[in-house]
Amino acid sequence: RKEVEQDPGPFNVPEGATVAFNCTYSNSASQSFFWYRQDCRKEPKLLMSVYSSGNEDGRFTAQLNRASQYISLLIRDSKLSDSATYLCVVNMGSSGSARQLTFGSGTQLTVLP
Amino acid sequence: NAGVTQTPKFRVLKTGQSMTLLCAQDMNHEYMYWYRQDPGMGLRLIHYSVGEGTTAKGEVPDGYNVSRLKKQNFLLGLESAAPSQTSVYFCASKGSRLADSYEQYFGPGTRLTVT
């Protein structure tokens, strides 16, 4: 079983739609959680961290359910510029730790005009 | 600041050839990482370094060697390239302080094809 599992998609949605991505992780000792965004043929970039209380950044909302070992990302009012691959990422260590990130294989989103 | 840079951006090798990928960062980060990304596999850690002169194996280290002689540079070597090493290679760096962001900063990637 993969340590971090995501639905690979692709998700094709019209502009303005709301879309949700889910991710599960296998290691209950995981400490920190993130969503990264990767544009086609580019490097991954941090989109947002995911906190137990849930957090929101503009049109993006991230949720964490430790009991179910489940992470989600909700994008409201989708824009064409949201088209990318979204990577669910889990870290065993704290912020100052070198502990490596474990990446899901990504969910591809295409927002259609 | 250039952030994280990688050299070269593209390379084609024949089986058995060797090469070195260079990663440089100007953020004074202690931690540096080499990943490979293959379709449907996500990013997998090859080797990492927690400081100048130190390196450690990641998830998929076989066939690769690394060196961190200077804090700002992290080199990835392929001694005898194999077609299975065809991939996109990303370097990343991260600060070591608790106050630092969780974020790993990635370079633009090197696309390597081994024929």
Side-chain angles (χ1 to χ4, degrees):
Chain A
R1 181 187 171 191
K2 289 183 180 178
E3 289 190 52
V4 180
E5 295 213 50
Q6 296 181 248
D7 180 347
F11 284 63
N12 298 317
V13 303
E15 259 188 301
T18 295
V19 61
F21 305 138
N22 303 319
C23 167
T24 57
Y25 60 95
S26 61
N27 193 328
S28 59
S30 300
Q31 293 196 26
S32 45
F33 310 88
F34 314 93
W35 284 101
Y36 273 67
R37 170 191 169 129
Q38 186 173 23
D39 293 311
C40 186
R41 303 179 76 83
K42 298 287 190 182
E43 71 272 24
K45 292 185 179 178
L46 180 66
L47 177 66
M48 59 195 302
S49 301
V50 187
Y51 304 118
S52 296
S53 55
N55 49 299
E56 188 173 306
D57 182 2
R59 297 181 293 107
F60 298 83
T61 300
Q63 298 275 358
L64 166 65
N65 184 322
R66 285 188 184 268
S68 301
Q69 295 179 205
Y70 171 94
I71 305 161
S72 66
L73 177 68
L74 183 77
I75 305 175
R76 291 182 300 278
D77 188 22
S78 301
K79 311 291 185 192
L80 296 176
S81 57
D82 294 333
S83 297
T85 297
Y86 291 84
L87 306 173
C88 177
V89 183
V90 173
N91 192 336
M92 291 282 291
S94 61
S95 61
S97 165
R99 298 292 290 273
Q100 52 264 36
L101 302 176
T102 301
F103 288 80
S105 55
T107 299
Q108 186 181 342
L109 171 66
T110 301
V111 180
L112 304 168
Chain B
N1 287 353
V4 181
T5 57
Q6 292 183 233
T7 309
K9 289 187 168 51
F10 304 92
R11 186 72 185 268
V12 178
L13 287 180
K14 294 187 188 303
T15 297
Q17 287 184 320
S18 63
M19 78 165 294
T20 300
L21 282 67
L22 170 63
C23 176
Q25 52 95 4
D26 60 4
M27 296 175 281
N28 201 34
H29 283 166
E30 288 293 333
Y31 306 149
M32 296 187 74
Y33 309 83
W34 275 107
Y35 295 90
R36 60 177 290 173
Q37 186 175 35
D38 302 295
M41 297 290 291
L43 281 87
R44 292 180 293 168
L45 183 68
I46 304 171
H47 287 279
Y48 67 101
S49 169
V50 299
E52 185 177 315
T54 71
T55 62
K57 293 180 180 179
E59 181 186 354
V60 288
D62 294 341
Y64 305 95
N65 58 75
V66 287
S67 64
R68 183 101 181 265
L69 298 180
K70 292 183 179 181
K71 185 178 182 178
Q72 63 268 33
N73 296 337
F74 195 28
L75 277 64
L76 178 71
L78 286 72
E79 291 181 345
S80 179
S84 61
Q85 293 178 304
T86 294
S87 189
V88 181
Y89 292 86
F90 287 103
C91 176
S93 72
K94 179 183 176 296
S96 60
R97 300 171 302 167
L98 286 175
D100 282 324
S101 163
Y102 288 92
E103 183 173 3
Q104 286 189 12
Y105 295 84
F106 284 82
T110 295
R111 295 183 178 277
L112 175 65
T113 302
V114 183
T115 61

